[in-house]
Amino acid sequence: MNATERVSQWLAHLDAALQRKDIAAAAALFEEDGYWRDLVSFTWNIKTSEGTGQIQAMLQATLDRVQPSNWKIDGAATEADGVTEAWFTFETAVARGRGQLRLRNGKAWTLLTTMVELKGFEEARGETRPKGVEHGPFKGRQTWKEGREEEARSLGYTKQPYVVIIGGGQAGIILGARLRKLGVPAIIIEKNARAGDSWRNRYKSLCLHDPVWYDHLPYMPFPDDWPVFAPKDKVGDWLEMYTKVMELNYWNSTTCKKAVFNEKRQEWEITVDREGREVTLRPKELVIALGVSGYPNVPKIPGADTFEGDQFHSSKFPGAENYRGKKAVVLGSNNSAHDICAALWEEDVDTTMIQRSSTHIAPSDSLMELALGGLYSEQAVKNGIDHHTADLIFASVPYKIMHTFHIPVYDEMKRRDADLYSRLEKAGFLLDFGVDGSGLFMKYLRRGSGYYIDVGASELVANGSVKLRSGVNIAQIKPKSVVLSDGTELEADLIVYATGYGSMNNWLADLISPDVANRLGKVWGLGSNTPKDPGPWEGELRNMWKPTQVPHLWVQGGNLHQNRHYSQFMGLQLKARYEGIPTPVYELAPVHHTS
Amino acid sequence: MNATERVSQWLAHLDAALQRKDIAAAAALFEEDGYWRDLVSFTWNIKTSEGTGQIQAMLQATLDRVQPSNWKIDGAATEADGVTEAWFTFETAVARGRGQLRLRNGKAWTLLTTMVELKGFEEARGETRPKGVEHGPFKGRQTWKEGREEEARSLGYTKQPYVVIIGGGQAGIILGARLRKLGVPAIIIEKNARAGDSWRNRYKSLCLHDPVWYDHLPYMPFPDDWPVFAPKDKVGDWLEMYTKVMELNYWNSTTCKKAVFNEKRQEWEITVDREGREVTLRPKELVIALGVSGYPNVPKIPGADTFEGDQFHSSKFPGAENYRGKKAVVLGSNNSAHDICAALWEEDVDTTMIQRSSTHIAPSDSLMELALGGLYSEQAVKNGIDHHTADLIFASVPYKIMHTFHIPVYDEMKRRDADLYSRLEKAGFLLDFGVDGSGLFMKYLRRGSGYYIDVGASELVANGSVKLRSGVNIAQIKPKSVVLSDGTELEADLIVYATGYGSMNNWLADLISPDVANRLGKVWGLGSNTPKDPGPWEGELRNMWKPTQVPHLWVQGGNLHQNRHYSQFMGLQLKARYEGIPTPVYELAPVHHTS
């Protein structure tokens, strides 16, 4: 049998075992430590079952209701290094799915099942795209424009949305687009005046460090001449356009004052200030999309209130233009710190970076080539891997073993960029590659921080153009200077706290209540027992894109790739509830940490 | 030899003949009445050579300089009904090209050569897309936003554009995008306040009658859930967004007062009113994009100034909402007349259509299926024919014989929609299928009018809901009525002149001078010696997308498909001039008609 036949046979065996409810037989098709990652289709959750024990438990709980069938290989299987890979489709009672399989020695090493669409609620696209106008003569027709105007007048006033999304950055916008396509009425609440302002309002040199192929929004990919690294204002304009073209109900200049869940009516009561007027929204489901890097973390340093210069968290840093010839101290050594130090240097500001702990430096070119190139690049597209496929390949690797896929990449990076790393260390910079050498993406998943995608600032640190003090902190701030933990003192006109962000649930203490904030718990991280990601092991990102311990409260966020991909599953979970389709959640993740 | 081998051999023979400058041998590869249509690559013109005599003359004039080479089949040839078809690529001294070939009995029936890109001036896309930001540390960098702001401040003031486009509808916008991608500085002048207003300002029920697959703009196709028939406001919003995303220099609320060509300085002097301030632009090249259906044609009917009701040309018809219960007379029986009669009926306006001469009625579903479906549809896309390919297939059919391709389509339409046609005739409607039965598209190409894509109004005419008076004109207008040429009188509160448009060069009489308007001559039409398209035969559309008899004056226009495709060739012709590449024009088309 060739690889394709072996896969077809394996799928047939799985199908048969599941049909006759022989859970033990189904589990036996897996390696003992094999993985089954399910995105919604079986578990109505984002859930990885690790090992045959967990796989059996999952099937025990879900099989009867899910009624999976029609498992079919899609395309040909491929084989490399003893691993056979293939795509397949399948169905459940209520949905159609797509998945990926890795076989080793006839048994499943990894299986990914994802829900693609709900039967009877498919998005109207391609052949089923809306007609746009009802042809034929009839009276009382409502034009598209009239329909939109009526919606703008009524939604949130005389007609309540099913979902409210708090936060109109790329996460909220992307989820909003999914919900629109699925026909789930939603309103997005955005404090700024224009969609895209969360980008426009940043310091002027800000650009995406993720390359374009990684960043496409759903439904409307960037055109093929879009720059590799988009400048902030161009991104802002695209988001603004997208919000309009996708026909989102986007409330600008609107802030959320309070949200309370009305248990009796089983709906949220969300009080917002919309351009000065108070409106109460009553959705059934509430999504917070306030940024995985949204809640600024500013350390309280003695004497900060005596400082006579300017001080900003990195998220509020206005730009370096007003500080020419002055002295800046940047506390922090990760992405924002480097970006801002480079911006300051470019404006001839005397800049010192205070590095408290080690940072992983990943040079952009190397990252693009070694880490992303196979999946998100011009070459990948040429090889037939578009971003849809790349997203699924990415999703098919269980978090538990993901680091093993990445370690060789960063080993190669160490070799390729040895010169830069050596010079950085000579300059006193504290380098790491993650505690297990798995590099940038694992640090991102585990703690959302601790790295810098080098687009030029590392050279400034290595050659001393940006001064560096490492292994120290700021112990005290005085009117015109900072005192470091080693006792030395630095004059300063500007302090930038590039000190990262806290968990998104922090916002909820004021927005809803401290109790709800704690019940939701920490957002992000895997429970890997690595710095800033305490155990126990979660297996999936805490609270992301799935049901939480607070009924009817959800979290949307992540980078553009994650928002693009996982908004699909958020959309389906919300659509199912909107349509009254039963969504029994398998193993709702417990909360182990509140921040 | 199989079909592919036959094509390869033919291409090799052509290549060899051209290399040794054996023009007779090259011509002998064609049927005696064969066609060679060239879009820029050989002729720096849009030019069809008909028959071996003309083909030889074209090669005689162009071969030495063009230096064509590297003719290679692209993909496999196909064969049907004795015709072998294939795609190929080729090169010239300065460009790369793509073409299509139809062979019959070993000889070329039709050959299409098109310029794809200028060597050394390729658009930055895909692998060569801009990086977006210069990585690495350096001072004095200009952000994208700063670059755009500087451009906005300087272009047209301290720095002159190479091209000015008068008219910011879809034609001007699409050409503007091409020029932007090619790096040719251009300004688009638009009288309305916002891009897309030329759509927004129309009567409320207006939608595209061409389906979405036909309508994509270059670089950013509509998303796959875009409606089949886009409502006007949605189109307007898309154009507005597109103008912004494509980074066009688009001057809203700007009207052109006068344009004069300064022979001494070899540049235009264009005086515009920009939001109340006068600005003089000095481009080298001027494009008018004022609409092939842009210059309203309003017949002067005795007594029109005595009319006490409202009267509008169809282009200014505000909508039917204010005429409920009133009486409307619509003069005309083509597309706008039908759309407007339907809009009036839907608002319970007593409506009479005055049909002066016959109209071709093409039911939308039949048109989509029979005429467009093979090239522009979901099915076509599934068959591997995207709109780029479809555009080239469309362009490969010489105008001289195009009608023969269409006649069978409309024969089938006659059969398929026999019931509607019969009922229309019973109602007194004067029907035609073009003088030679070649239907809608030939009427469009020959005269830009004379048809209605039926999306419902024909039913109203057939069943009498919209009253019809055919074979008559309005002879006289009185204060509250119109008198027809047969003496009958109709009460009227509203008269709509759905009486079409004049040639675009009419605008130039005031804009430049009557002399220049006449030197440019009639825009559109093929010289087919059919109604409204007097001979002699032109072989291409008069003045469209190619050099004209007025140096440095060009015309961009057509439907979305034509603007999408032919803007490519306009862009390349203008880019070549911008870069100083010699562009000797073969057989600049003479002017036979001035309107």
Side-chain angles (χ1 to χ4, degrees):
Chain A
M1 275 194 298
N2 63 30
T4 299
E5 288 162 338
R6 282 201 303 278
V7 167
S8 297
Q9 184 185 70
W10 189 94
L11 289 171
H13 286 158
L14 178 70
D15 193 0
L18 296 176
Q19 297 277 7
R20 67 178 190 269
K21 313 265 198 274
D22 188 345
I23 290 175
L29 292 166
F30 287 75
E31 293 183 356
E32 204 176 313
D33 293 324
Y35 301 86
W36 183 331
R37 187 181 195 212
D38 178 66
L39 306 184
V40 183
S41 58
F42 274 68
T43 60
W44 285 106
N45 203 348
I46 305 287
K47 178 76 188 164
T48 303
S49 301
E50 302 172 357
T52 50
Q54 291 190 10
I55 291 169
Q56 290 202 56
M58 184 274 287
L59 289 171
Q60 199 68 51
T62 65
L63 188 54
D64 280 348
R65 177 190 37 80
V66 170
Q67 298 164 46
S69 68
N70 216 6
W71 301 78
K72 279 197 271 200
I73 191 170
D74 182 18
T78 58
E79 204 160 3
D81 305 321
V83 181
T84 302
E85 291 191 27
W87 298 103
F88 61 89
T89 57
F90 65 100
E91 285 183 46
T92 70
V94 303
R96 293 181 198 89
R98 182 171 187 73
Q100 204 258 18
L101 171 66
R102 289 187 182 83
L103 288 181
R104 291 194 295 203
N105 301 315
K107 287 196 186 277
W109 176 24
T110 70
L111 180 73
L112 171 72
T113 48
T114 78
M115 182 182 287
V116 170
E117 59 190 5
L118 288 160
K119 292 176 180 172
F121 301 103
E122 300 85 353
E123 290 179 3
R125 306 170 74 169
E127 278 173 333
T128 59
R129 68 175 76 226
K131 198 156 178 191
V133 66
E134 202 58 52
H135 282 170
F138 59 90
K139 299 186 194 237
R141 78 167 71 230
Q142 187 187 58
T143 65
W144 173 83
K145 184 177 174 214
E146 288 168 335
R148 296 284 292 131
E149 287 168 344
E150 186 188 316
E151 185 174 24
R153 274 194 306 271
S154 63
L155 196 66
Y157 301 97
T158 53
K159 177 172 144 61
Q160 288 302 323
Y162 188 73
V163 179
V164 164
I165 303 169
I166 301 180
Q170 39 105 343
I173 287 170
I174 285 172
L175 178 60
R178 293 283 190 185
L179 294 175
R180 184 76 178 176
K181 300 303 180 188
L182 288 165
V184 179
I187 289 176
I188 303 165
I189 303 294
E190 167 58 30
K191 71 180 185 228
N192 287 312
R194 290 166 66 193
D197 274 352
S198 53
W199 290 77
R200 290 190 194 93
N201 292 345
R202 303 298 302 281
Y203 54 92
K204 75 171 186 172
S205 58
L206 177 69
C207 295
L208 268 169
H209 292 325
D210 286 327
V212 60
W213 311 276
Y214 194 67
D215 302 328
H216 294 302
L217 276 68
Y219 309 115
M220 278 184 62
F222 297 113
D224 68 3
D225 72 325
W226 193 260
V228 179
F229 301 105
K232 68 176 178 85
D233 295 283
K234 208 162 157 67
V235 177
D237 284 352
W238 182 268
L239 290 172
E240 184 174 33
M241 168 281 293
Y242 185 87
T243 300
K244 192 155 196 184
V245 168
M246 292 290 127
E247 301 184 7
L248 304 186
N249 297 300
Y250 192 90
W251 287 16
N252 292 298
S253 304
T254 302
T255 49
C256 182
K257 297 285 149 210
K258 201 74 186 170
V260 171
F261 192 77
N262 185 318
E263 292 291 342
K264 191 160 167 206
R265 298 169 59 126
Q266 280 292 296
E267 64 189 22
W268 288 93
E269 281 167 10
I270 306 176
T271 312
V272 305
D273 176 322
R274 185 180 191 190
E275 297 174 68
R277 279 190 296 271
E278 191 175 287
V279 183
T280 301
L281 298 171
R282 299 177 181 280
K284 297 288 188 280
E285 307 290 339
L286 173 59
V287 180
I288 55 169
L290 294 161
V292 169
S293 298
Y295 192 86
N297 186 28
V298 183
K300 292 194 184 340
I301 299 175
D305 49 344
T306 72
F307 188 61
E308 288 173 10
D310 293 340
Q311 44 187 328
F312 304 100
H313 183 264
S314 55
S315 60
K316 296 281 187 292
F317 173 60
E321 304 86 81
N322 294 337
Y323 299 100
R324 295 193 131 256
K326 301 266 169 99
K327 292 185 186 338
V329 167
V330 177
L331 178 62
S333 55
N334 295 331
N335 221 76
S336 292
H338 278 82
D339 258 8
I340 288 169
C341 283
L344 288 163
W345 173 84
E346 289 185 6
E347 295 286 341
D348 292 317
V349 179
D350 178 314
T351 305
T352 304
M353 176 188 291
I354 312 291
Q355 179 182 33
R356 300 169 296 176
S357 56
S358 67
T359 303
H360 169 54
I361 301 295
S364 174
D365 285 349
S366 300
L367 191 71
M368 287 228 312
E369 209 184 305
L370 300 174
L372 286 174
L375 293 183
Y376 297 102
S377 65
E378 216 59 56
Q379 188 57 52
V381 172
K382 280 208 173 83
N383 293 343
I385 298 176
D386 64 10
H387 56 281
H388 305 293
T389 304
D391 288 350
L392 286 167
I393 294 173
F394 218 110
S396 73
V397 178
Y399 288 123
K400 186 92 185 186
I401 53 172
M402 193 180 276
H403 62 292
T404 66
F405 285 62
H406 287 254
I407 289 168
V409 168
Y410 293 90
D411 283 347
E412 175 57 25
M413 194 180 285
K414 274 180 204 159
R415 279 186 288 275
R416 191 179 282 220
D417 295 292
D419 177 67
L420 175 66
Y421 292 130
S422 158
R423 289 167 51 235
L424 278 171
E425 284 181 318
K426 280 200 184 68
F429 196 81
L430 304 174
L431 276 173
D432 73 59
F433 282 79
V435 292
D436 52 8
S438 57
L440 189 136
F441 201 71
M442 293 316 298
K443 278 195 116 174
Y444 170 65
L445 293 173
R446 289 165 174 170
R447 50 176 283 188
S449 65
Y451 58 82
Y452 167 52
I453 300 177
D454 177 31
V455 295
S458 284
E459 180 53 39
L460 298 174
V461 173
N463 70 23
S465 301
V466 165
K467 291 180 282 198
L468 172 69
R469 302 301 310 278
S470 55
V472 292
N473 203 337
I474 298 177
Q476 186 196 357
I477 297 173
K478 294 161 76 168
K480 298 182 199 290
S481 63
V482 305
V483 181
L484 304 184
S485 48
D486 64 358
T488 56
E489 190 163 343
L490 298 174
E491 284 179 34
D493 305 294
L494 166 70
I495 301 172
V496 180
Y497 301 96
T499 43
Y501 300 88
S503 171
M504 206 195 295
N505 66 320
N506 280 299
W507 292 112
L508 300 185
D510 286 337
L511 206 62
I512 308 177
S513 70
D515 172 63
V516 167
N518 287 338
R519 269 197 291 137
L520 176 65
K522 183 177 170 63
V523 170
W524 205 258
L526 296 169
S528 61
N529 198 23
T530 60
K532 305 208 174 186
D533 187 32
W537 178 245
E538 308 258 354
E540 293 286 347
L541 287 165
R542 295 182 187 91
N543 279 319
M544 293 309 299
W545 320 299
K546 60 184 183 178
T548 71
Q549 289 286 346
V550 180
H552 311 288
L553 180 69
W554 308 74
V555 181
Q556 178 70 32
N559 61 29
L560 283 160
H561 146 233
Q562 291 169 314
N563 276 308
R564 171 181 68 249
H565 196 207
Y566 290 93
S567 59
Q568 173 183 334
F569 308 107
M570 277 283 271
L572 290 167
Q573 291 171 85
L574 291 165
K575 175 64 169 178
R577 286 158 176 78
Y578 179 64
E579 297 295 342
I581 296 169
T583 58
V585 175
Y586 176 66
E587 290 216 333
L588 183 69
V591 169
H592 300 292
H593 304 282
T594 56
S595 70
Chain B
M1 276 196 295
N2 64 31
T4 299
E5 288 161 337
R6 284 202 302 278
V7 166
S8 298
Q9 183 184 71
W10 189 94
L11 289 170
H13 286 157
L14 178 70
D15 194 359
L18 296 176
Q19 297 277 5
R20 62 179 193 271
K21 312 266 199 272
D22 188 345
I23 290 174
L29 292 167
F30 288 76
E31 294 183 354
E32 203 175 314
D33 294 324
Y35 301 86
W36 184 330
R37 187 182 194 211
D38 178 66
L39 306 184
V40 182
S41 57
F42 274 67
T43 59
W44 286 105
N45 203 348
I46 305 285
K47 179 74 187 165
T48 303
S49 301
E50 302 173 353
T52 49
Q54 291 190 11
I55 291 170
Q56 290 201 55
M58 184 274 288
L59 289 171
Q60 199 69 52
T62 65
L63 188 54
D64 279 348
R65 177 191 37 79
V66 171
Q67 299 165 45
S69 68
N70 215 5
W71 301 77
K72 279 198 270 202
I73 191 171
D74 182 19
T78 59
E79 204 161 2
D81 306 320
V83 179
T84 301
E85 290 190 28
W87 298 103
F88 62 88
T89 56
F90 66 100
E91 285 183 46
T92 70
V94 302
R96 293 182 198 90
R98 181 171 188 75
Q100 204 258 19
L101 170 67
R102 287 186 182 84
L103 288 181
R104 290 195 296 202
N105 302 312
K107 288 196 185 278
W109 175 25
T110 70
L111 181 73
L112 170 73
T113 48
T114 79
M115 182 181 289
V116 171
E117 57 190 7
L118 288 160
K119 293 176 180 174
F121 301 103
E122 300 84 355
E123 290 179 3
R125 308 169 74 168
E127 278 173 335
T128 59
R129 67 177 74 224
K131 199 157 179 192
V133 66
E134 201 57 54
H135 282 172
F138 59 89
K139 300 186 193 236
R141 77 168 71 231
Q142 186 187 60
T143 65
W144 173 82
K145 185 177 174 211
E146 288 167 335
R148 296 284 293 130
E149 287 168 344
E150 186 188 315
E151 185 174 24
R153 275 193 305 271
S154 64
L155 195 67
Y157 300 97
T158 52
K159 176 171 144 59
Q160 288 302 321
Y162 188 73
V163 178
V164 164
I165 303 169
I166 302 179
Q170 38 104 344
I173 288 170
I174 285 171
L175 178 59
R178 294 283 190 185
L179 293 174
R180 183 77 177 175
K181 301 301 180 189
L182 289 164
V184 179
I187 289 176
I188 302 165
I189 304 295
E190 166 59 28
K191 70 178 186 231
N192 287 311
R194 291 167 64 192
D197 274 352
S198 54
W199 290 76
R200 291 190 193 92
N201 292 344
R202 301 299 302 281
Y203 53 92
K204 76 171 185 173
S205 57
L206 178 69
C207 296
L208 270 168
H209 291 327
D210 286 327
V212 58
W213 311 276
Y214 194 67
D215 302 328
H216 294 302
L217 276 69
Y219 309 115
M220 279 184 60
F222 297 113
D224 69 1
D225 73 323
W226 194 260
V228 179
F229 301 105
K232 69 177 178 86
D233 295 284
K234 208 161 157 67
V235 177
D237 285 352
W238 183 268
L239 290 172
E240 185 174 32
M241 169 280 292
Y242 186 87
T243 298
K244 192 155 195 184
V245 168
M246 292 290 129
E247 301 183 6
L248 305 186
N249 298 301
Y250 193 89
W251 288 16
N252 292 297
S253 303
T254 303
T255 48
C256 182
K257 298 285 150 209
K258 202 70 185 174
V260 171
F261 192 76
N262 185 318
E263 292 291 342
K264 191 160 168 206
R265 298 168 59 125
Q266 282 292 295
E267 65 189 22
W268 287 93
E269 281 166 11
I270 306 176
T271 313
V272 305
D273 176 320
R274 185 180 192 192
E275 296 174 67
R277 280 191 294 271
E278 190 176 286
V279 184
T280 301
L281 298 171
R282 299 174 181 281
K284 294 289 188 280
E285 307 290 340
L286 173 60
V287 180
I288 55 169
L290 293 161
V292 168
S293 299
Y295 191 85
N297 185 27
V298 184
K300 293 195 183 342
I301 299 174
D305 49 344
T306 73
F307 187 62
E308 288 174 10
D310 293 341
Q311 45 188 326
F312 304 101
H313 182 264
S314 55
S315 60
K316 295 282 186 294
F317 174 60
E321 304 84 82
N322 294 336
Y323 300 98
R324 294 193 132 255
K326 301 265 168 100
K327 292 184 185 342
V329 167
V330 177
L331 178 62
S333 56
N334 295 332
N335 221 76
S336 292
H338 278 81
D339 258 7
I340 288 169
C341 284
L344 289 163
W345 173 83
E346 288 186 5
E347 295 286 340
D348 291 317
V349 180
D350 178 314
T351 305
T352 304
M353 176 188 290
I354 311 291
Q355 180 181 32
R356 298 169 297 177
S357 57
S358 68
T359 303
H360 170 55
I361 302 295
S364 171
D365 285 350
S366 299
L367 191 71
M368 287 228 311
E369 208 183 308
L370 300 174
L372 286 174
L375 293 183
Y376 297 100
S377 66
E378 216 58 58
Q379 189 55 52
V381 172
K382 279 207 174 85
N383 295 342
I385 299 176
D386 63 11
H387 54 281
H388 304 294
T389 303
D391 289 350
L392 286 167
I393 294 173
F394 218 108
S396 72
V397 179
Y399 288 121
K400 186 90 185 187
I401 54 173
M402 193 181 276
H403 62 292
T404 66
F405 285 63
H406 286 255
I407 288 167
V409 168
Y410 293 89
D411 283 347
E412 174 58 24
M413 193 180 286
K414 275 180 203 158
R415 279 187 287 274
R416 191 180 283 221
D417 294 293
D419 177 67
L420 175 66
Y421 291 131
S422 159
R423 291 168 48 236
L424 278 170
E425 285 181 317
K426 281 200 183 70
F429 195 82
L430 303 172
L431 276 172
D432 73 60
F433 282 81
V435 292
D436 52 7
S438 57
L440 189 136
F441 201 71
M442 293 316 300
K443 278 194 115 173
Y444 170 66
L445 293 172
R446 289 164 173 171
R447 51 174 283 187
S449 66
Y451 58 83
Y452 166 53
I453 298 177
D454 177 33
V455 294
S458 284
E459 181 54 39
L460 297 174
V461 173
N463 70 24
S465 302
V466 165
K467 291 180 281 197
L468 172 69
R469 302 300 309 279
S470 54
V472 292
N473 205 336
I474 298 176
Q476 185 196 356
I477 297 173
K478 293 160 78 168
K480 297 185 199 291
S481 63
V482 304
V483 181
L484 304 183
S485 49
D486 65 357
T488 57
E489 190 162 343
L490 297 175
E491 283 178 36
D493 304 294
L494 165 70
I495 301 172
V496 179
Y497 301 97
T499 42
Y501 300 87
S503 172
M504 206 195 296
N505 66 319
N506 280 296
W507 293 110
L508 300 184
D510 286 337
L511 207 61
I512 308 176
S513 70
D515 172 62
V516 166
N518 288 337
R519 270 196 293 136
L520 177 65
K522 182 178 170 64
V523 171
W524 206 257
L526 296 168
S528 62
N529 198 23
T530 60
K532 304 208 174 183
D533 186 32
W537 178 245
E538 308 258 354
E540 294 285 347
L541 287 166
R542 294 183 188 90
N543 279 319
M544 294 307 301
W545 319 299
K546 59 184 184 178
T548 71
Q549 288 287 346
V550 179
H552 311 287
L553 181 68
W554 307 73
V555 180
Q556 178 70 32
N559 62 30
L560 284 160
H561 146 233
Q562 291 170 313
N563 276 307
R564 171 180 69 247
H565 196 206
Y566 289 94
S567 59
Q568 174 183 332
F569 308 108
M570 277 284 271
L572 290 167
Q573 292 172 85
L574 291 165
K575 174 66 169 176
R577 285 157 176 77
Y578 179 64
E579 297 295 342
I581 296 168
T583 59
V585 177
Y586 175 67
E587 289 215 333
L588 183 69
V591 170
H592 300 291
H593 304 281
T594 57
S595 70

